């Protein structure tokens, strides 16, 4: 009769098999806490846009789009619920060409206080304020939500 040696029981060590095999979240070296990656919209592409065109645009010159903190990302997610199509278009523009002006839609803010900051008009009453960093190819969204009376100051 052959005996099989006993295998170590993970319950004795206090580590379950689920904890061992669970993937460890990796934070990109470009996302510095309290920043977090902006939630990508999951809305379908409209009939006017071709899905392959959208994918090609995103792969050509991707910019990392991050929220300044959790509160900004929460406000962005609320904006996604209010205006999904416009918010998806905004996200796409931020990923591909955040520094391209679009009349009455995307423009840099004026004044010393707002140097380097841009505004994106998502809807007539919703805005996204962000600061693009060309060297790092990173966009920091510092406000997303209802149109404020005065523009928020960039970080």
């Amino acid at each position: 009769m052959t005996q099989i040696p006993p295998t170590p029981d993970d319950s004795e060590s206090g580590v379950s098999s689920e904890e061992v095999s669970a993937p460890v979240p990796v934070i990109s070296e470009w996302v510095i806490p309290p920043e977090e990656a902006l939630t990508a919209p999951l809305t379908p592409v409209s009939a006017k846009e071709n899905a392959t065109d959208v994918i090609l645009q995103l792969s050509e010159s991707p910019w990392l789009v991050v929220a300044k903190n959790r509160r900004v990302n929460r406000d962005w997610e609320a904006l996604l619920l209010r205006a999904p199509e416009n918010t998806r278009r905004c996200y796409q523009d931020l990923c591909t060409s955040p520094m391209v002006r679009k009349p009455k839609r995307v423009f840099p803010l004026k004044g010393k206080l707002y140097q380097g900051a841009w505004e994106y008009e998502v809807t007539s009453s919703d805005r996204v304020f962000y600061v693009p960093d060309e060297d790092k190819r990173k966009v920091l969204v510092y406000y997303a939500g209802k149109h404020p009376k005065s523009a928020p100051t960039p970080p």
Side-chain angles (χ1 to χ4, degrees):
M1 207 190 236
T2 53
Q3 279 190 316
I4 300 172
T7 57
D9 186 11
D10 287 339
S11 62
E12 291 175 6
S13 65
V15 178
S16 70
S17 59
E18 291 175 15
E19 291 174 335
V20 173
S21 63
V24 177
V26 178
I27 297 177
S28 172
E29 61 190 44
W30 297 106
V31 181
I32 302 164
E35 294 176 358
E36 62 178 53
L38 201 65
T39 305
L42 300 174
T43 58
V45 176
S46 70
K48 294 179 185 176
E49 299 171 322
N50 185 349
T52 54
D53 291 343
V54 172
I55 292 169
L56 285 175
Q57 286 177 352
L58 289 175
S59 63
E60 284 175 5
S61 63
W63 285 64
L64 174 65
V65 182
V66 298
K68 179 183 171 189
N69 53 35
R70 266 197 193 123
R71 180 191 53 79
V72 173
N73 200 27
R74 229 180 3 250
D75 294 343
W76 169 262
E77 289 171 352
L79 189 56
L80 273 169
L81 295 174
R82 282 196 306 273
E85 185 65 26
N86 291 5
T87 309
R88 186 191 57 76
R89 193 174 304 114
C90 172
Y91 184 81
Q92 180 181 335
D93 288 344
L94 293 178
C95 287
T96 57
S97 54
M99 298 174 69
V100 174
R101 292 174 186 241
K102 292 184 179 178
K104 299 183 181 180
R105 183 66 72 173
V106 182
F107 50 89
L109 299 177
K110 296 177 183 177
K112 288 183 183 178
L113 187 61
Y114 302 109
Q115 192 169 9
W118 287 66
E119 179 178 342
Y120 194 108
E121 180 183 318
V122 179
T123 67
S124 61
S125 63
D126 293 310
R127 301 291 189 273
V128 170
F129 291 89
Y130 62 95
V131 178
D133 184 347
E134 226 172 341
D135 296 334
K136 294 181 182 177
R137 298 196 57 81
K138 177 178 173 180
V139 175
L140 175 68
V141 175
Y142 66 93
Y143 179 86
K146 295 288 183 186
H147 190 331
K149 290 185 179 186
S150 62
T153 55

